[in-house]
Amino acid sequence: MTRGTTGARGTSEARREWRGWREATQDALYGPAGFYRGSEGPAGHFRTSVHASPLFAGAVARLLCRVDEALGRPSSLDFVDMAAGRGELVTGVLAALPAEVAARTRAYAVEVAGRPEGLDHRIEWLAEPPGGGVTGLLFANEWLDNVPVEVAEVDSAGVPRRVLVRGDGAERLGEPVDGAEAEWLARWWPPAGAEGPREGLRAEIGLPRDAAWASAVAALDGGLGGLAVAADYAHTRDARPPFGTLTGFREGRETPPVPDGSCDITAHVALDACAAAHAARCAPERTSPAALLRPQRDALRALGVTGARPPLALASTDPAAYVRALASASEAAELLARGGLGDFVWLLQPVGSLDAAALLVDVPDHEEE
């Protein structure tokens, strides 16, 4: 399989070089002229739950309050916003917290780009997650999908091979996948149809995401613990897409993934593998609390985002309040929508004694029709 498109940046030498997708994406997104170094930030190219409505930050603030209660209201409570963009989520969470909780909260934004001008002075801006001892909530909204991964494709002999890419997006097959990557594929994404491996089947090898997630969750070690949440488009082992999900986004539109810095490059996340990676790094004598996977629509409903329309009678008694409530219901509907943001999956990974299920007590066992 090959793709050929013209990129907007990069030297002619880089455009001719054949590399694995992981290395090429790393440079394209996070290199000196990478996509995420741009002044416009992610909001200039795609709409996330954070940008869709302040209801999202309000729900995350409510979750932080529930974690706070479960931990016994510690004297210092932490909120870590992974892949913070320009600080939109962490700013919204601080604004939504009750004053008493906000006064105890230490806020961290983790992002490769520089600190935005005018950001709330209470927010500490970091290039890496804080070290161990975090107590509270670590939230990663659309982070793991941008952790670069290798892509594998089955050749005509039924052998999974690494996919190589040039700076203009053209592809060719490289060496067979082996070692730890082959083991990961066999366990988490075996590239086989009903009749075995078939030419053209593709998979994204999620090892770097497993390691990144386990490392981020480790920030909660050494203290009272807390909860780590990853929210992303995702899939599980029993429903992997046969041809992968690698794609690009530019100026709000999906586009072929070209690793030249001109577009976002993303792929859905094997969140079940990420959850297992954290459990595997726990010491044998420690019991890792159960992780949960929940559709975003269910998690947000449990945190008070319902999308219910206001009663029509309110339009007569308080028209302004009715208009505000109607707008809020429309924003909530976008966050919960099937085929859209509601299809995101939340991985809730507790550290310490927290019961993740108890934090989302209103999540239904089965999706509503």
Side-chain angles (χ1 to χ4, degrees):
M1 175 183 293
T2 59
R3 273 193 293 264
T5 52
T6 302
R9 306 180 193 173
T11 65
S12 58
E13 180 181 354
R15 290 164 64 84
R16 291 194 300 268
E17 183 182 2
W18 292 100
R19 300 185 290 175
W21 266 107
R22 183 183 179 189
E23 180 185 351
T25 301
Q26 182 69 33
D27 285 350
L29 296 184
Y30 307 113
F35 178 81
Y36 278 99
R37 302 287 185 180
S39 60
E40 67 274 19
H45 292 270
F46 48 87
R47 183 176 175 85
T48 72
S49 299
V50 178
H51 307 119
S53 171
L55 293 173
F56 188 81
V60 176
R62 198 167 295 114
L63 179 59
L64 177 58
C65 289
R66 292 186 184 183
V67 170
D68 180 43
E69 289 285 346
L71 294 175
R73 298 190 178 188
S75 59
S76 182
L77 181 69
D78 298 314
F79 177 69
V80 181
D81 180 9
M82 294 294 300
R86 297 303 178 263
E88 298 95 337
L89 177 60
V90 63
T91 299
V93 167
L94 284 176
L97 288 174
E100 186 277 328
V101 179
R104 291 185 286 111
T105 298
R106 297 182 300 185
Y108 302 92
V110 182
E111 180 57 66
V112 296
R115 182 187 182 95
E117 293 185 8
L119 189 71
D120 191 317
H121 67 89
R122 295 173 294 173
I123 301 169
E124 185 172 350
W125 196 264
L126 303 173
E128 300 288 342
V134 167
T135 295
L137 176 62
L138 180 145
F139 202 95
N141 186 62
E142 296 195 51
W143 169 48
L144 289 173
D145 67 316
N146 285 128
V147 173
V149 293
E150 297 290 3
V151 177
E153 182 175 323
V154 177
D155 67 10
S156 59
V159 177
R161 292 181 176 272
R162 189 187 311 275
V163 176
L164 305 181
V165 63
R166 288 191 318 211
D168 61 0
E171 292 182 337
R172 75 180 187 192
L173 296 186
E175 69 279 7
V177 176
D178 59 7
E181 292 181 340
E183 293 174 6
W184 190 94
L185 279 180
R187 179 181 179 187
W188 292 109
W189 197 336
E195 300 177 357
R198 191 172 75 249
E199 183 178 6
L201 293 179
R202 287 168 68 110
E204 289 111 24
I205 305 173
L207 268 177
R209 293 169 173 180
D210 295 356
W213 180 244
S215 178
V217 178
L220 293 162
D221 290 342
L224 297 178
L227 181 71
V229 177
D232 249 309
Y233 280 122
H235 43 64
T236 54
R237 192 182 188 280
D238 59 352
R240 304 286 190 221
F243 301 103
T245 61
L246 189 74
T247 191
F249 283 94
R250 182 189 299 115
E251 297 178 352
R253 297 179 181 276
E254 189 168 6
T255 183
V258 179
D260 63 355
S262 69
C263 67
D264 186 25
I265 298 174
T266 181
H268 295 192
V269 185
L271 282 179
D272 48 351
C274 294
H278 164 71
R281 60 167 288 278
C282 291
E285 65 275 10
R286 289 173 51 196
T287 301
S288 177
L292 296 179
L293 292 173
R294 291 288 187 271
Q296 173 160 293
R297 68 179 68 89
D298 287 354
L300 289 181
R301 283 172 180 151
L303 293 168
V305 181
T306 66
R309 295 172 62 89
L312 189 58
L314 184 63
S316 300
T317 59
D318 191 340
Y322 178 77
V323 171
R324 290 194 299 271
L326 198 61
S328 179
S330 176
E331 292 175 1
E334 182 179 0
L335 292 173
L336 304 173
R338 296 178 185 276
L341 296 175
D343 287 346
F344 272 69
V345 178
W346 284 25
L347 163 60
L348 297 99
Q349 191 112 49
V351 175
S353 59
L354 282 189
D355 179 355
L359 299 171
L360 296 179
V361 293
D362 298 322
V363 174
D365 291 332
H366 303 284
E367 291 191 28
E368 299 173 6
E369 296 299 328

